Amino acid sequence: MPLVCRPWRLWHRATRFIIGSRKASWRRYILLAAFVVILIIIYLLIESYPRSIMSLVRNHPPESVFRCGGDGGGKVRGPTGNATFHPHLPPPRSPENKLRDDPKVLVFTETQYSKTGKDIANILVANRINYKTEVLGRSLPGLTNLSRGKYGAVIFENFDRYLQLDPWNRELLDKYLKDYSVGMVGFMPVREDTRVGTKMKGLPLYIHTNMALKNVSLNSDNPLLHLTRAGGTIVGPVLNSDWTTFTIEDPTYIPIEWAYPSLTDFSEERQNTVVLDQGQLDGIPRVLFGANLEFWLHRLLFLDALSYLSLGRIPLALDRYILVDIDDIFVARKGIRMTTDDVMALLESQRRLQEMVPGWRFNLGFSGKYYQRGYPEENDGDKMLLDHVEDFWWFGHMWGHTQPHELTQDELEIQMQLNKEFAINHDIPTDSGYSIAPHHSGVYPVHEPLYTAWKKVWNVRVTSSEEYPHLYPARLRRGFIHRNIMVLPRLTCGLFTHTVFIDKYPGGRKVLDDSIHGGELFQSIVYNPISIYMTHLSNYGNDRLALYTFESVVKFVKCWTNLKLQTVPPLQLAEQYFHRFPDEADPIWGNPCADHRHMQIWAKEKSCDQLPKFLVIGPQKTGTTALYTFLAMHPAILANYPSPETFEEVQFFNGKNYYKGIDWYMKFFPVPANSSAKFLFEKSATYFEGDVVPRRVRALLPAAKLVITIISPSKRAYSWYHHMRAHSDHTALLYSFHQVITASDTAPRAVRSLRNKCLVPGMYARHIERWLNHFPSSQINIIDGEELRSDPVYVMNDLQRFLGIQPFYNYTEHLRFDKRKGFFCQVVGEDRTKCLGRGKGRIYPSMNESDVKYLKEFYQPYNIALEKLLTKLDYPVPSWLEEDLQ
Ligand code: A3P
């Protein structure tokens, strides 16, 4: 029977199955017809269900009704709505610049875990303000360094502690504050007892505690307001009843914020809740807060206070760049996409936002595959978006919604090319230089094929991700540059693909409104000079929550701050970002296995087992090659594959190789499935003294053990010099050892460079301390290089124990002293050994006496510090160190 007849046969069999026989009764035919009708009805019901929801709820999308100084959704009203912008008036102090260039903030906290202390730290981190926290003890921390002040402002989490300081510390701190023109912020503590009109020790202030307050507003006429604008009255009760209020007894004190008691049994008079002491009485300006930083307005005033009290040396810029991406513009299931009405609303909202934020434009990321995949009215919406192509900015998302880390470079290129063709066919611009990846996959942790394909197909120069260095906490998200693609930190605004109806907002509408009116979203604009937000197609259909959210938050920002908002395209945004934060350009590669989310967007075939478990970090010329060779003899240990450029060393963490990324690094180690050795390691002897190296190693290999070898620093310097001569280094051949080590800072550059390489690694204590800032001492093993030379079996046995390596390898049988070489070598036969090459254990004349003396003196302070450090860490003091110190 031909194939075309098959459907008919199937139908025939099905009817026979239901009906039973060829001679079917008419009843059975009716039954069959009813069955088919029911199926059709079920299908139609399923199809039309989301539409009915849509048409029901779409009648009432929320509107942004917030009016500054009016009775809007933000519950703000009052006479101060027209408050004017106050640049800080110069306080009555001399801004002599005796502070260090980038002063920190000194924070005195009650304990390491106290709530306000943490809030203070979080705000400082979010605003990239350097700080030091100190739990107040008997003595104060050092306030100056080489007679320059370290701190631009001092904060007391509990102002009582300042008032209770013992006279000696109080005098010391006050003197610092006066001499360096630095002011203080103090928070009033929550008290058990209620006090009414208690005098504050030494200040012209009376306090009332345990107050319940309502209707907070700002005094628009005060010199503190810079970022903060007096936006009106916040109607209703604020926080809890823990407020302290101040009665001012001196005209040089100015109220900043005030409120009314909410319990009428106290008084109906307005109470001062934040006050400014201009410092005219004792030379120390102070800002005192009657409640902590839980109240959003206090967070703004706090930033203003720091800037004011430090005379602007803790800067507070007012420019804010903000860009809203609509990712996946055609990606959403039927029923929650955009209709033509939604598109009109989007255009209208964009126009209103443009009036408030110069340059505002929504940035649309498209996935062409999903174009026209909705109901007819939604497909009309898609078409209308393309009719208005010129009203928006556009960027190519992925063709499908696949995660890049699951694709090869070829697959990625095909996907991107399809999307590009779609763009060209629909007159969508393709030159924005921006793109993003679904679920941030491939951006960080870096999937190199994505970067390659992006560059090749779209010439991408900017992307954004919320994953660097981690999703949480959001305030720590930062940018970086990889392979000339600028990655911006991506912020969320509380809207996700599934948050489409205000009534169903997780936790209720109040959660979203609180975030807008002073909460998380509002603060993210205040704290981040450059913000790029992520939203989705579904947030613009349905209840159009994104329009509501952004219009509301922009109004709120304009009401309560003097921030100058503007929008620029992604490329300009990224340039601004790295111009402002140049230190962030350098990435710090983290360990993907330490972050559950990173593991989900890391290619399946990758594994952290392909990363080393320990590193031999140097320094050079202390026996590191011997150690490397001896380690590699162990059956359970495997060294990295050699590098064509740097031979046995990978030199990843210290130089340009680091920018090649961790995929590059991992290629130096076998895939775990292909190797039985459990302990991978690498030796790069220049890691030891590299400034950035400990931080980088800690980020990628937090559990790694580190092995350091040290010999007399003078001997090391001399060995290095001869190493350079043996490699025909021009400068080493031209200048004597004496000339090199005694070269001054005016000597030719090449000589200075050689001098530094000779001398700097031998400042052992300084470098070890730096490693100890990032690793616990239990992860570091310091080997006496002289002992490695004279008794390698002992050293290797000890090292095996430190590394916890099984099975134990008996080096006695595998190392033998070779008289000809003058060193221990690997046993390769009964009478045969394999020694290190000619470059190790070189023969050269001994150092002359004057150089020995010079170096002994040069290294003395470093050697004293080393001796102390080794003793502290429980190591025996090597005999060469004792000699050097004689
Ligand atoms: P010299 O060549 O100046 O004698 P590195 O491998 O870190 O560059 O260190 C080289 C130094 O290792 C050599 O310096 C040598 O003194 C020392 N060394 C220690 N044990 C050795 C061994 N078994 N074979 C060769 N050199 C060894």
Side-chain angles (χ1 to χ4, degrees):
M1 173 158 307
L3 265 179
V4 280
C5 294
R6 276 199 184 148
W8 169 245
R9 273 179 71 194
L10 275 176
W11 169 251
H12 195 64
R13 276 192 190 161
T15 49
R16 276 191 64 195
F17 175 74
I18 295 171
I19 296 163
S21 80
R22 222 169 266 240
K23 292 176 187 168
S25 74
W26 61 272
R27 272 204 197 91
R28 283 183 176 165
Y29 274 116
I30 288 175
L31 200 68
L32 177 64
F35 178 67
V36 171
V37 168
I38 288 168
L39 279 182
I40 291 169
I41 290 171
I42 290 173
Y43 171 77
L44 288 176
L45 275 177
I46 292 171
E47 268 289 280
S48 61
Y49 179 68
R51 281 210 244 194
S52 60
I53 292 178
M54 194 166 77
S55 54
L56 266 181
V57 187
R58 281 185 179 202
N59 291 333
H60 311 286
E63 269 180 58
S64 167
V65 290
F66 174 83
R67 304 256 184 290
C68 190
D71 280 322
K75 283 199 192 157
V76 174
R77 68 164 168 75
T80 50
N82 293 328
T84 46
F85 168 61
H86 283 267
H88 287 313
L89 299 177
R93 293 176 292 149
S94 59
E96 257 180 81
N97 196 11
K98 290 199 284 181
L99 289 188
R100 51 176 265 182
D101 291 339
D102 181 18
K104 289 186 182 176
V105 171
L106 178 59
V107 188
F108 288 107
T109 57
E110 291 283 80
T111 70
Q112 271 180 320
Y113 312 99
S114 49
K115 168 84 176 73
T116 305
K118 275 192 192 161
D119 283 347
I120 292 169
N122 289 345
I123 295 176
L124 295 174
V125 169
N127 286 277
R128 297 174 169 87
I129 298 172
N130 291 328
Y131 69 97
K132 176 181 169 68
T133 31
E134 197 64 32
V135 176
L136 203 60
R138 284 201 181 161
S139 53
L140 296 176
L143 300 170
T144 57
N145 183 14
L146 301 172
S147 76
R148 298 195 82 184
K150 288 193 203 170
Y151 304 105
V154 173
I155 302 171
F156 276 86
E157 180 201 357
N158 177 352
F159 189 64
D160 280 354
R161 295 276 179 260
Y162 168 72
L163 298 177
Q164 291 156 4
L165 275 179
D166 63 71
W168 164 254
N169 279 332
R170 171 75 182 256
E171 199 183 318
L172 205 70
L173 183 61
D174 284 359
K175 185 165 165 20
Y176 172 81
L177 297 170
K178 278 184 269 191
D179 286 357
Y180 291 88
S181 302
V182 169
M184 178 191 297
V185 176
F187 293 90
M188 302 310 294
V190 174
R191 294 168 202 270
E192 299 282 298
D193 55 334
T194 301
R195 302 184 194 181
V196 180
T198 309
K199 173 90 172 71
M200 271 184 104
K201 191 177 152 195
L203 301 179
L205 286 176
Y206 287 84
I207 54 168
H208 316 289
T209 66
N210 269 335
M211 300 280 288
L213 298 174
K214 64 179 180 186
N215 300 354
V216 176
S217 62
L218 293 177
N219 171 11
S220 61
D221 191 20
N222 81 69
L224 195 77
L225 302 190
H226 176 61
L227 177 133
T228 319
R229 183 175 177 276
T233 301
I234 302 162
V235 179
V238 202
L239 290 181
N240 36 36
S241 54
D242 291 338
W243 288 69
T244 296
T245 62
F246 307 91
T247 305
I248 293 171
E249 290 287 298
D250 186 279
T252 64
Y253 276 58
I254 302 175
I256 304 289
E257 180 192 79
W258 41 44
Y260 290 86
S262 55
L263 304 173
T264 42
D265 59 337
F266 180 74
S267 147
E268 298 210 347
E269 266 180 45
R270 194 167 65 182
Q271 303 287 313
N272 302 316
T273 48
V274 178
V275 291
L276 167 67
D277 163 6
Q278 295 186 89
Q280 286 177 8
L281 300 181
D282 64 357
I284 304 169
R286 303 177 180 89
V287 177
L288 301 182
F289 286 81
N292 58 30
L293 292 166
E294 251 171 78
F295 181 34
W296 63 268
L297 189 53
H298 286 184
R299 292 171 178 243
L300 302 190
L301 293 174
F302 174 67
L303 291 174
D304 269 342
L306 292 181
S307 168
Y308 175 87
L309 296 170
S310 68
L311 297 170
R313 290 168 294 187
I314 295 167
L316 191 53
L318 296 181
D319 291 322
R320 293 292 181 276
Y321 294 88
I322 170 171
L323 176 66
V324 175
D325 282 358
I326 310 179
D327 299 347
D328 329 328
I329 193 65
F330 302 121
V331 187
R333 67 181 159 82
K334 272 182 178 180
I336 59 163
R337 298 162 69 99
M338 289 172 78
T339 62
T340 49
D341 284 351
D342 297 326
V343 178
M344 291 309 291
L346 173 69
L347 286 161
E348 264 306 297
S349 173
Q350 172 161 284
R351 193 192 50 70
R352 286 192 296 273
L353 280 160
Q354 278 165 356
E355 281 169 16
M356 296 186 276
V357 183
W360 183 286
R361 246 170 210 241
F362 286 101
N363 192 29
L364 274 50
F366 57 93
S367 295
K369 183 178 174 185
Y370 304 98
Y371 181 62
Q372 300 286 290
R373 293 283 186 95
Y375 292 116
E377 54 268 55
E378 291 173 328
N379 293 342
D380 290 345
D382 283 1
K383 276 191 210 138
M384 191 173 200
L385 280 168
L386 292 188
D387 290 342
H388 288 271
V389 115
E390 281 169 13
D391 290 310
F392 305 109
W393 288 321
W394 294 83
F395 65 91
H397 201 23
M398 295 296 279
W399 167 248
H401 205 248
T402 28
Q403 298 190 342
H405 76 275
E406 290 174 350
L407 305 181
T408 64
Q409 191 180 316
D410 286 346
E411 289 165 342
L412 281 163
E413 282 178 23
I414 291 167
Q415 287 261 323
M416 288 180 193
Q417 200 56 51
L418 280 170
N419 216 24
K420 194 166 181 182
E421 276 157 28
F422 170 84
I424 293 165
N425 292 339
H426 291 86
D427 294 329
I428 298 174
T430 55
D431 58 354
S432 74
Y434 178 69
S435 189
I436 59 153
H439 305 273
H440 313 274
S441 145
V443 180
Y444 189 80
V446 168
H447 184 56
E448 299 292 348
L450 173 66
Y451 282 69
T452 311
W454 259 347
K455 276 183 160 280
K456 200 167 158 190
V457 181
W458 283 99
N459 189 22
V460 167
R461 279 161 292 162
V462 189
T463 181
S464 60
S465 168
E466 53 179 19
E467 293 294 338
Y468 178 77
H470 299 286
L471 178 65
Y472 296 119
R475 66 177 174 280
L476 292 182
R477 280 182 218 159
R478 297 290 184 260
F480 68 95
I481 302 178
H482 182 53
R483 294 175 56 189
N484 279 336
I485 294 186
M486 296 178 273
V487 182
L488 292 175
R490 192 164 178 74
L491 303 175
T492 35
C493 61
L495 301 179
F496 305 93
T497 36
H498 52 274
T499 42
V500 293
F501 299 122
I502 191 86
D503 296 340
K504 298 221 170 71
Y505 193 84
R509 176 181 185 147
K510 189 173 178 306
V511 175
L512 180 61
D513 283 343
D514 284 351
S515 173
I516 292 167
H517 299 132
E520 199 176 325
L521 176 60
F522 168 77
Q523 283 167 37
S524 70
I525 295 177
V526 173
Y527 299 161
N528 292 296
I530 288 143
S531 308
I532 184 159
Y533 289 97
M534 164 169 81
T535 61
H536 309 272
L537 171 72
S538 50
N539 308 135
Y540 293 82
N542 313 294
D543 271 1
R544 301 172 192 156
L545 290 185
L547 305 184
Y548 168 73
T549 301
F550 282 103
E551 280 193 49
S552 304
V553 79
V554 163
K555 284 180 191 169
F556 202 82
V557 168
K558 291 191 86 65
C559 181
W560 282 100
T561 76
N562 291 306
L563 294 176
K564 293 179 203 131
L565 300 180
Q566 57 178 304
T567 298
V568 291
L571 205 54
Q572 264 173 272
L573 198 72
E575 275 156 10
Q576 274 290 336
Y577 187 92
F578 289 104
H579 174 70
R580 213 172 272 223
F581 308 119
D583 295 350
E584 285 183 28
D586 263 11
I588 292 279
W589 308 125
N591 184 303
C593 303
D595 185 316
H596 174 63
R597 278 179 66 96
H598 289 176
M599 281 303 282
Q600 287 175 336
I601 49 173
W602 206 32
K604 279 194 190 68
E605 67 275 10
K606 289 181 193 167
S607 153
C608 289
D609 290 341
Q610 210 184 333
L611 289 167
K613 280 212 171 62
F614 70 95
L615 304 178
V616 176
I617 59 175
Q620 285 171 294
K621 309 319 295 173
T622 56
T624 55
T625 314
L627 186 62
Y628 173 86
T629 312
F630 299 163
L631 280 165
M633 287 160 57
H634 197 298
I637 298 178
L638 202 69
N640 55 282
Y641 301 133
S643 149
E645 285 95 34
T646 47
F647 312 105
E648 89 254 12
E649 302 201 346
V650 185
Q651 297 190 0
F652 174 65
F653 292 102
N654 53 332
K656 287 197 182 124
N657 288 336
Y658 189 71
Y659 303 111
K660 294 177 181 163
I662 65 172
D663 284 8
W664 180 88
Y665 185 51
M666 285 168 72
K667 285 198 186 119
F668 283 90
F669 302 95
V671 175
N674 303 340
S675 158
S676 57
K678 288 193 198 98
F679 285 81
L680 305 183
F681 85 106
E682 64 129 335
K683 182 272 285 191
S684 295
T686 44
Y687 288 167
F688 180 67
E689 69 271 13
D691 273 347
V692 289
V693 179
R695 194 169 155 226
R696 288 176 174 179
V697 175
R698 173 78 202 183
L700 185 62
L701 308 171
K705 293 197 172 168
L706 308 166
V707 182
I708 296 168
T709 45
I710 50 175
I711 60 170
S712 163
S714 315
K715 206 173 155 189
R716 198 214 73 84
Y718 194 52
S719 170
W720 166 257
Y721 172 75
H722 281 286
H723 170 82
M724 294 308 280
R725 281 178 70 93
H727 282 83
S728 306
D729 178 78
H730 185 65
T731 319
L733 292 174
L734 212 61
Y735 290 82
S736 70
F737 182 59
H738 184 77
Q739 285 173 315
V740 171
I741 56 174
T742 57
S744 73
D745 284 344
T746 53
R749 217 172 122 188
V751 183
R752 276 182 288 134
S753 163
L754 190 62
R755 175 199 68 185
N756 293 347
K757 282 181 180 155
C758 264
L759 299 179
V760 172
M763 301 166 177
Y764 296 138
R766 179 195 281 187
H767 305 302
I768 296 172
E769 292 280 9
R770 197 177 42 243
W771 282 94
L772 285 168
N773 286 337
H774 297 270
F775 283 89
S777 59
S778 57
Q779 278 176 244
I780 299 178
N781 191 23
I782 304 170
I783 290 175
D784 175 357
E786 290 301 343
E787 202 165 24
L788 174 70
R789 179 176 174 163
S790 60
D791 192 356
V793 171
Y794 172 80
V795 170
M796 295 311 292
N797 287 350
D798 200 43
L799 187 56
Q800 287 185 81
R801 275 190 290 276
F802 167 75
L803 296 170
I805 292 183
Q806 294 290 342
F808 192 81
Y809 187 65
N810 189 355
Y811 278 94
T812 323
E813 293 167 15
H814 301 283
L815 293 177
R816 188 184 302 148
F817 188 76
D818 184 298
K819 278 194 199 134
R820 239 163 24 126
K821 178 76 178 173
F823 287 91
F824 274 83
C825 302
Q826 187 180 351
V827 176
V828 287
E830 219 163 86
D831 337 301
R832 283 195 317 124
T833 55
K834 190 176 163 209
C835 299
L836 299 189
R838 270 190 300 154
K840 304 292 162 183
R842 284 197 181 92
I843 296 166
Y844 38 80
S846 27
M847 211 187 316
N848 68 44
E849 272 312 305
S850 60
D851 292 340
V852 171
K853 199 160 167 279
Y854 177 86
L855 286 175
K856 205 170 176 179
E857 271 170 37
F858 175 85
Y859 278 119
Q860 201 191 28
Y862 304 103
N863 281 339
I864 290 174
L866 177 66
E867 194 262 343
K868 279 193 192 154
L869 184 65
L870 291 176
T871 310
K872 194 173 100 184
L873 297 176
D874 238 5
Y875 284 94
V877 176
S879 49
W880 52 262
L881 182 56
E882 280 179 10
E883 268 168 44
D884 279 1
L885 283 170
Q886 272 165 18

